[in-house]
Amino acid sequence: MAATPLVYLDIDGVIVTDRTTKLGGAGYIPPGSAAMVVDILDQTGARLVVASTWRRDADCQDKLARAGIGQERYFMDWRTPDLLPEEEIADLPIRGSEIDRHLQRHRPARYVIIDDDPGMLPHQKHFHIQVDPSIGLTWTDAETAIALLRG
């Protein structure tokens, strides 16, 4: 069991929104959004796991580092796995299933999922902070994450 709490973070719709893209271009991560993620991690001792499609990009961690989320913030197994087609189960959301695979592997004492996608498994719903993709991560969302991670 991983004693370290984990934050499963989506990127698009959470810290990159249509509004931020208009401000800084495609993939622009505003410093305020990155600061909220860092604040969640700092206040709870949690480590980051990227649950976004960004995890497939070779420069994912570099992009996040440029926004202020450094390498020391990540959990050792820093991204959720891709499910093979034969591992997908009909009627179960893929994002929730990928996170579940990671959860089963590491069994953290506490975790939160910050994602604009509603597709989580039933047992994940209490730990899921569903962000409005037109707004992105808010301080209210961050405070909710902190409260969940502190138990």
Side-chain angles (χ1 to χ4, degrees), residues 62-126:
D62 291 336
K63 287 178 183 177
L64 291 170
R66 285 193 296 276
I69 305 172
Q71 187 72 34
E72 72 282 1
R73 307 275 182 201
Y74 292 91
F75 185 61
M76 61 181 178
D77 185 6
W78 67 274
R79 57 187 169 187
T80 54
D82 286 319
L83 296 181
L84 300 173
E86 62 269 17
E87 294 175 309
E88 294 177 20
I89 300 172
D91 299 327
L92 287 183
I94 291 175
R95 178 69 52 89
S97 297
E98 291 167 341
I99 291 169
D100 202 51
R101 172 68 58 83
H102 195 275
L103 284 167
Q104 288 176 20
R105 186 178 305 147
H106 298 290
R107 303 203 180 280
R110 291 188 202 99
Y111 72 94
V112 295
I113 302 165
I114 305 173
D115 202 318
D116 63 315
D117 184 341
M120 300 302 145
L121 302 178
H123 64 276
Q124 298 169 337
K125 297 281 186 188
H126 176 72

Side-chain angles (χ1 to χ4, degrees), residues 6-10 13-14 40 99 111-120 124-133 136-149:
L6 300 178
V7 173
Y8 290 91
L9 181 69
D10 182 29
V14 176
I40 294 166
I99 291 169
Y111 72 94
V112 295
I113 302 165
I114 305 173
D115 202 318
D116 63 315
D117 184 341
M120 300 302 145
Q124 298 169 337
K125 297 281 186 188
H126 176 72
F127 307 98
H128 177 212
I129 298 161
Q130 187 174 349
V131 173
D132 180 337
L137 185 65
T138 66
W139 282 109
T140 300
D141 298 326
E143 289 169 2
T144 301
I146 291 165
L148 283 170
L149 289 165

